[in-house]
Amino acid sequence: TMAIVSVRMEDETKKKFESFCDSVGITVSAAVNMFVKMTIREDRLPFDVKGHSFEPLGKVVQAKDVG
């Protein structure tokens, strides 16, 4: 069984990500699945999160080092 996941992001971010995925020959869905599977396999985000501010749903959140 396959689930559907919906993600909100800025239009420009989506366009740039779609363009990147096209340039490397994968779909957005494949890229997201790769990210999720790698996160589960490594039991962590597959990249470092340090000192970056993210703005989910209009609120600024300071990301903490997960490593």
Side-chain angles (χ1 to χ4, degrees), residues 14-53:
K14 179 180 178 268
K15 289 176 188 174
K16 288 179 180 180
F17 189 62
E18 287 173 330
S19 178
F20 168 78
C21 289
D22 286 344
S23 74
V24 296
I26 61 174
T27 64
V28 169
S29 182
V32 171
N33 273 291
M34 290 165 55
F35 165 77
V36 170
K37 288 178 181 182
M38 183 175 269
T39 300
I40 292 167
R41 183 176 58 243
E42 295 183 10
D43 197 27
R44 65 182 289 283
L45 290 174
F47 49 83
D48 291 331
V49 179
K50 296 180 181 182
H52 299 284
S53 292

Side-chain angles (χ1 to χ4, degrees), residues 46-64:
F47 49 83
D48 291 331
V49 179
K50 296 180 181 182
H52 299 284
S53 292
F54 299 93
E55 192 173 338
L57 303 176
K59 296 181 180 180
V60 175
V61 175
Q62 185 69 30
K64 294 184 179 183

